Short mmCIF file of all heavy atoms in Angstrom, two decimals:
data_model
loop_
_atom_site.label_atom_id
_atom_site.label_comp_id
_atom_site.label_asym_id
_atom_site.label_seq_id
_atom_site.Cartn_x
_atom_site.Cartn_y
_atom_site.Cartn_z
N SER H 1 16.24 28.12 30.32
CA SER H 1 15.52 27.14 29.51
C SER H 1 14.46 27.81 28.65
O SER H 1 14.17 27.36 27.54
CB SER H 1 14.87 26.08 30.41
OG SER H 1 13.90 26.68 31.25
N LEU H 2 13.86 28.92 29.16
CA LEU H 2 12.86 29.62 28.39
C LEU H 2 13.47 30.34 27.19
O LEU H 2 12.85 30.49 26.14
CB LEU H 2 12.14 30.66 29.27
CG LEU H 2 11.13 30.12 30.28
CD1 LEU H 2 10.61 31.27 31.13
CD2 LEU H 2 9.98 29.43 29.57
N MET H 3 14.70 30.80 27.35
CA MET H 3 15.34 31.59 26.31
C MET H 3 16.14 30.75 25.33
O MET H 3 16.74 31.28 24.40
CB MET H 3 16.26 32.64 26.96
CG MET H 3 15.54 33.64 27.85
SD MET H 3 14.27 34.56 26.99
CE MET H 3 15.29 35.55 25.90
N THR H 4 16.18 29.43 25.52
CA THR H 4 16.96 28.57 24.63
C THR H 4 16.42 28.64 23.20
O THR H 4 15.23 28.56 22.97
CB THR H 4 16.91 27.11 25.11
OG1 THR H 4 17.47 27.06 26.41
CG2 THR H 4 17.70 26.22 24.17
N THR H 5 17.29 28.80 22.23
CA THR H 5 16.89 28.85 20.82
C THR H 5 16.52 27.45 20.34
O THR H 5 17.26 26.51 20.56
CB THR H 5 18.04 29.37 19.96
OG1 THR H 5 18.42 30.67 20.43
CG2 THR H 5 17.63 29.46 18.49
N PRO H 6 15.34 27.29 19.70
CA PRO H 6 14.94 25.97 19.24
C PRO H 6 15.90 25.44 18.19
O PRO H 6 16.52 26.19 17.44
CB PRO H 6 13.54 26.22 18.63
CG PRO H 6 13.51 27.68 18.32
CD PRO H 6 14.37 28.33 19.36
N ALA H 7 16.03 24.10 18.12
CA ALA H 7 16.93 23.47 17.17
C ALA H 7 16.42 23.70 15.74
O ALA H 7 15.22 23.80 15.51
CB ALA H 7 17.02 21.98 17.46
N LYS H 8 17.35 23.78 14.79
CA LYS H 8 16.98 23.96 13.40
C LYS H 8 16.26 22.70 12.91
O LYS H 8 16.62 21.60 13.27
CB LYS H 8 18.22 24.23 12.56
CG LYS H 8 18.90 25.55 12.90
CD LYS H 8 20.12 25.77 12.06
CE LYS H 8 20.79 27.09 12.42
NZ LYS H 8 22.03 27.33 11.62
N ALA H 9 15.25 22.93 12.08
CA ALA H 9 14.43 21.81 11.63
C ALA H 9 14.37 21.77 10.12
O ALA H 9 14.87 22.66 9.43
CB ALA H 9 13.02 21.93 12.22
N THR H 10 13.76 20.73 9.60
CA THR H 10 13.58 20.55 8.17
C THR H 10 12.23 21.12 7.75
O THR H 10 11.21 20.90 8.41
CB THR H 10 13.63 19.05 7.82
OG1 THR H 10 14.88 18.51 8.26
CG2 THR H 10 13.50 18.84 6.33
N VAL H 11 12.22 21.88 6.66
CA VAL H 11 10.99 22.44 6.10
C VAL H 11 10.50 21.48 5.03
O VAL H 11 11.17 21.27 4.02
CB VAL H 11 11.23 23.84 5.51
CG1 VAL H 11 9.90 24.44 5.03
CG2 VAL H 11 11.88 24.75 6.55
N VAL H 12 9.33 20.89 5.24
CA VAL H 12 8.86 19.78 4.41
C VAL H 12 7.75 20.22 3.46
O VAL H 12 6.82 20.93 3.84
CB VAL H 12 8.35 18.63 5.29
CG1 VAL H 12 7.74 17.52 4.44
CG2 VAL H 12 9.48 18.09 6.16
N TYR H 13 7.88 19.78 2.20
CA TYR H 13 6.82 19.95 1.20
C TYR H 13 6.39 18.57 0.72
O TYR H 13 7.22 17.71 0.42
CB TYR H 13 7.33 20.76 0.01
CG TYR H 13 7.43 22.25 0.27
CD1 TYR H 13 8.48 22.76 1.01
CD2 TYR H 13 6.46 23.12 -0.22
CE1 TYR H 13 8.57 24.13 1.26
CE2 TYR H 13 6.54 24.49 0.03
CZ TYR H 13 7.61 24.99 0.77
OH TYR H 13 7.69 26.33 1.02
N ASN H 14 5.07 18.36 0.63
CA ASN H 14 4.51 17.11 0.14
C ASN H 14 3.79 17.33 -1.19
O ASN H 14 3.17 18.37 -1.41
CB ASN H 14 3.51 16.54 1.16
CG ASN H 14 4.18 16.14 2.46
OD1 ASN H 14 5.06 15.29 2.48
ND2 ASN H 14 3.78 16.76 3.56
N TRP H 15 3.90 16.35 -2.07
CA TRP H 15 3.26 16.43 -3.38
C TRP H 15 1.77 16.14 -3.26
O TRP H 15 1.36 15.18 -2.62
CB TRP H 15 3.90 15.44 -4.34
CG TRP H 15 3.22 15.35 -5.67
CD1 TRP H 15 2.29 14.43 -6.07
CD2 TRP H 15 3.41 16.22 -6.79
NE1 TRP H 15 1.90 14.66 -7.37
CE2 TRP H 15 2.58 15.77 -7.83
CE3 TRP H 15 4.23 17.34 -7.01
CZ2 TRP H 15 2.53 16.40 -9.07
CZ3 TRP H 15 4.17 17.97 -8.25
CH2 TRP H 15 3.34 17.50 -9.26
N ARG H 16 0.95 16.99 -3.89
CA ARG H 16 -0.50 16.79 -3.95
C ARG H 16 -0.91 16.67 -5.41
O ARG H 16 -0.70 17.58 -6.19
CB ARG H 16 -1.23 17.96 -3.29
CG ARG H 16 -0.84 18.23 -1.85
CD ARG H 16 -1.05 17.03 -0.97
NE ARG H 16 -0.75 17.32 0.43
CZ ARG H 16 -0.50 16.39 1.35
NH1 ARG H 16 -0.52 15.10 0.99
NH2 ARG H 16 -0.23 16.71 2.58
N THR H 17 -1.48 15.53 -5.77
CA THR H 17 -1.87 15.29 -7.16
C THR H 17 -3.19 15.98 -7.47
O THR H 17 -4.14 15.89 -6.70
CB THR H 17 -2.01 13.78 -7.42
OG1 THR H 17 -0.73 13.16 -7.22
CG2 THR H 17 -2.48 13.51 -8.83
N VAL H 18 -3.22 16.63 -8.64
CA VAL H 18 -4.45 17.24 -9.14
C VAL H 18 -5.09 16.35 -10.21
O VAL H 18 -6.29 16.12 -10.21
CB VAL H 18 -4.17 18.65 -9.70
CG1 VAL H 18 -5.43 19.23 -10.35
CG2 VAL H 18 -3.68 19.58 -8.59
N SER H 19 -4.27 15.85 -11.13
CA SER H 19 -4.79 14.98 -12.18
C SER H 19 -3.69 14.06 -12.69
O SER H 19 -2.50 14.37 -12.55
CB SER H 19 -5.36 15.81 -13.34
OG SER H 19 -4.33 16.58 -13.94
N VAL H 20 -4.10 12.93 -13.26
CA VAL H 20 -3.16 11.97 -13.86
C VAL H 20 -3.50 11.88 -15.34
O VAL H 20 -4.55 11.37 -15.71
CB VAL H 20 -3.26 10.59 -13.20
CG1 VAL H 20 -2.32 9.61 -13.87
CG2 VAL H 20 -2.96 10.70 -11.70
N GLU H 21 -2.60 12.42 -16.17
CA GLU H 21 -2.85 12.42 -17.61
C GLU H 21 -2.54 11.06 -18.23
O GLU H 21 -3.27 10.55 -19.07
CB GLU H 21 -2.01 13.51 -18.30
CG GLU H 21 -2.55 14.92 -18.10
CD GLU H 21 -2.34 15.43 -16.69
OE1 GLU H 21 -1.32 15.08 -16.07
OE2 GLU H 21 -3.21 16.16 -16.18
N ARG H 22 -1.41 10.48 -17.84
CA ARG H 22 -1.01 9.18 -18.37
C ARG H 22 -0.34 8.38 -17.27
O ARG H 22 0.41 8.92 -16.45
CB ARG H 22 -0.01 9.35 -19.54
CG ARG H 22 -0.56 10.05 -20.74
CD ARG H 22 0.38 9.89 -21.94
NE ARG H 22 1.71 10.41 -21.69
CZ ARG H 22 2.05 11.68 -21.86
NH1 ARG H 22 1.15 12.54 -22.29
NH2 ARG H 22 3.29 12.07 -21.63
N GLY H 23 -0.59 7.09 -17.25
CA GLY H 23 0.11 6.23 -16.31
C GLY H 23 -0.47 6.26 -14.92
O GLY H 23 -1.69 6.23 -14.74
N VAL H 24 0.41 6.34 -13.91
CA VAL H 24 -0.01 6.21 -12.52
C VAL H 24 0.36 7.46 -11.74
O VAL H 24 1.13 8.29 -12.19
CB VAL H 24 0.65 4.97 -11.86
CG1 VAL H 24 0.11 3.69 -12.45
CG2 VAL H 24 2.17 5.03 -12.02
N GLU H 25 -0.21 7.56 -10.54
CA GLU H 25 -0.05 8.76 -9.72
C GLU H 25 1.33 8.83 -9.06
O GLU H 25 1.88 7.82 -8.64
CB GLU H 25 -1.13 8.78 -8.65
CG GLU H 25 -1.11 10.01 -7.75
CD GLU H 25 -2.24 10.00 -6.74
OE1 GLU H 25 -3.11 9.12 -6.85
OE2 GLU H 25 -2.24 10.87 -5.86
N MET H 26 1.86 10.04 -8.97
CA MET H 26 3.13 10.25 -8.29
C MET H 26 2.91 10.69 -6.86
O MET H 26 1.94 11.38 -6.56
CB MET H 26 3.97 11.32 -9.01
CG MET H 26 5.39 11.44 -8.45
SD MET H 26 6.36 12.82 -9.14
CE MET H 26 5.86 14.15 -8.04
N SER H 27 3.81 10.28 -5.98
CA SER H 27 3.85 10.77 -4.61
C SER H 27 5.24 11.33 -4.36
O SER H 27 6.21 10.95 -5.03
CB SER H 27 3.55 9.65 -3.61
OG SER H 27 2.26 9.12 -3.81
N GLY H 28 5.37 12.22 -3.42
CA GLY H 28 6.69 12.79 -3.18
C GLY H 28 6.77 13.59 -1.91
O GLY H 28 5.76 14.05 -1.36
N ARG H 29 8.01 13.77 -1.45
CA ARG H 29 8.29 14.54 -0.24
C ARG H 29 9.70 15.13 -0.39
O ARG H 29 10.63 14.43 -0.74
CB ARG H 29 8.23 13.66 1.00
CG ARG H 29 8.56 14.36 2.32
CD ARG H 29 8.59 13.36 3.47
NE ARG H 29 8.74 13.99 4.77
CZ ARG H 29 9.90 14.35 5.30
NH1 ARG H 29 11.03 14.15 4.62
NH2 ARG H 29 9.95 14.91 6.49
N ILE H 30 9.84 16.44 -0.12
CA ILE H 30 11.14 17.08 -0.14
C ILE H 30 11.32 17.84 1.17
O ILE H 30 10.46 18.62 1.57
CB ILE H 30 11.29 18.07 -1.32
CG1 ILE H 30 10.98 17.38 -2.65
CG2 ILE H 30 12.72 18.63 -1.34
CD1 ILE H 30 11.06 18.31 -3.85
N GLY H 31 12.44 17.57 1.83
CA GLY H 31 12.76 18.28 3.06
C GLY H 31 13.90 19.26 2.81
O GLY H 31 15.01 18.85 2.45
N PHE H 32 13.63 20.55 2.96
CA PHE H 32 14.63 21.59 2.73
C PHE H 32 15.23 22.06 4.06
O PHE H 32 14.56 22.02 5.10
CB PHE H 32 14.01 22.80 2.02
CG PHE H 32 13.46 22.50 0.66
CD1 PHE H 32 12.12 22.21 0.49
CD2 PHE H 32 14.28 22.52 -0.45
CE1 PHE H 32 11.60 21.93 -0.77
CE2 PHE H 32 13.78 22.24 -1.72
CZ PHE H 32 12.44 21.95 -1.87
N SER H 33 16.46 22.52 4.02
CA SER H 33 17.05 23.09 5.22
C SER H 33 16.44 24.47 5.46
O SER H 33 15.99 25.15 4.52
CB SER H 33 18.57 23.24 5.06
OG SER H 33 18.88 24.24 4.09
N GLU H 34 16.41 24.90 6.71
CA GLU H 34 15.88 26.22 7.02
C GLU H 34 16.69 27.31 6.34
O GLU H 34 16.14 28.32 5.89
CB GLU H 34 15.87 26.44 8.54
CG GLU H 34 14.74 25.78 9.27
CD GLU H 34 14.62 26.27 10.70
OE1 GLU H 34 15.47 27.09 11.12
OE2 GLU H 34 13.69 25.84 11.40
N GLU H 35 18.01 27.11 6.28
CA GLU H 35 18.87 28.12 5.65
C GLU H 35 18.47 28.36 4.21
O GLU H 35 18.36 29.52 3.77
CB GLU H 35 20.33 27.69 5.72
CG GLU H 35 20.94 27.70 7.10
CD GLU H 35 20.68 26.41 7.87
OE1 GLU H 35 19.90 25.56 7.38
OE2 GLU H 35 21.25 26.25 8.96
N ALA H 36 18.23 27.29 3.45
CA ALA H 36 17.84 27.42 2.05
C ALA H 36 16.46 28.05 1.94
O ALA H 36 16.21 28.89 1.07
CB ALA H 36 17.86 26.05 1.37
N TRP H 37 15.56 27.64 2.82
CA TRP H 37 14.18 28.16 2.76
C TRP H 37 14.14 29.66 3.03
O TRP H 37 13.46 30.41 2.32
CB TRP H 37 13.30 27.41 3.75
CG TRP H 37 11.84 27.62 3.55
CD1 TRP H 37 11.02 26.96 2.67
CD2 TRP H 37 11.00 28.55 4.24
NE1 TRP H 37 9.73 27.43 2.78
CE2 TRP H 37 9.69 28.41 3.74
CE3 TRP H 37 11.24 29.49 5.24
CZ2 TRP H 37 8.63 29.17 4.20
CZ3 TRP H 37 10.18 30.26 5.70
CH2 TRP H 37 8.88 30.09 5.18
N PHE H 38 14.88 30.11 4.04
CA PHE H 38 14.91 31.54 4.34
C PHE H 38 15.66 32.32 3.26
O PHE H 38 15.37 33.50 3.03
CB PHE H 38 15.54 31.79 5.71
CG PHE H 38 14.59 31.59 6.86
CD1 PHE H 38 14.80 30.59 7.80
CD2 PHE H 38 13.46 32.38 7.00
CE1 PHE H 38 13.92 30.39 8.85
CE2 PHE H 38 12.57 32.20 8.04
CZ PHE H 38 12.79 31.20 8.97
N ALA H 39 16.63 31.69 2.61
CA ALA H 39 17.34 32.33 1.51
C ALA H 39 16.50 32.33 0.23
O ALA H 39 16.88 32.95 -0.76
CB ALA H 39 18.67 31.63 1.26
N ARG H 40 15.37 31.60 0.25
CA ARG H 40 14.42 31.52 -0.85
C ARG H 40 14.99 30.84 -2.09
O ARG H 40 14.50 31.04 -3.20
CB ARG H 40 13.87 32.91 -1.22
CG ARG H 40 13.07 33.56 -0.11
CD ARG H 40 12.38 34.79 -0.58
NE ARG H 40 11.59 35.41 0.50
CZ ARG H 40 10.85 36.52 0.36
NH1 ARG H 40 10.81 37.11 -0.82
NH2 ARG H 40 10.19 37.00 1.37
N ARG H 41 15.98 29.99 -1.89
CA ARG H 41 16.49 29.21 -3.01
C ARG H 41 17.20 27.96 -2.52
O ARG H 41 17.94 28.02 -1.53
CB ARG H 41 17.45 30.03 -3.87
CG ARG H 41 17.84 29.29 -5.16
CD ARG H 41 18.80 30.07 -6.01
NE ARG H 41 19.08 29.38 -7.27
CZ ARG H 41 20.01 29.75 -8.13
NH1 ARG H 41 20.76 30.82 -7.89
NH2 ARG H 41 20.21 29.07 -9.25
N ALA H 42 16.94 26.84 -3.20
CA ALA H 42 17.63 25.58 -2.90
C ALA H 42 18.24 25.05 -4.19
O ALA H 42 17.55 24.97 -5.21
CB ALA H 42 16.64 24.57 -2.32
N VAL H 43 19.51 24.68 -4.12
CA VAL H 43 20.22 24.17 -5.29
C VAL H 43 20.98 22.91 -4.90
O VAL H 43 21.69 22.90 -3.89
CB VAL H 43 21.20 25.21 -5.85
CG1 VAL H 43 21.97 24.62 -7.04
CG2 VAL H 43 20.48 26.48 -6.26
N VAL H 44 20.81 21.85 -5.68
CA VAL H 44 21.54 20.60 -5.46
C VAL H 44 21.99 20.07 -6.81
O VAL H 44 21.22 20.05 -7.77
CB VAL H 44 20.66 19.54 -4.76
CG1 VAL H 44 21.40 18.21 -4.66
CG2 VAL H 44 20.23 20.01 -3.39
#
């Protein structure tokens, strides 16, 4: 049980607003697979 490899998880990025030039504020969340994150590229 100590040596069990942890399950693969989602790597999450959240949007942080700095300024709103026009209109209203955006919010966002993107969950990347670990494979893409370690490969340093995500393509969809």
Side-chain angles (χ1 to χ4, degrees):
S1 64
L2 285 175
M3 298 302 291
T4 299
T5 303
K8 295 179 181 179
T10 303
V11 184
V12 175
Y13 283 77
N14 295 300
W15 174 263
R16 303 302 183 199
T17 298
V18 174
S19 62
V20 178
E21 284 72 34
R22 296 193 301 274
V24 291
E25 182 177 352
M26 188 187 87
S27 299
R29 178 185 187 277
I30 306 178
F32 298 95
S33 68
E34 281 192 358
E35 290 86 352
W37 194 83
F38 279 116
R40 296 189 179 181
R41 188 181 184 189
V43 177
V44 175

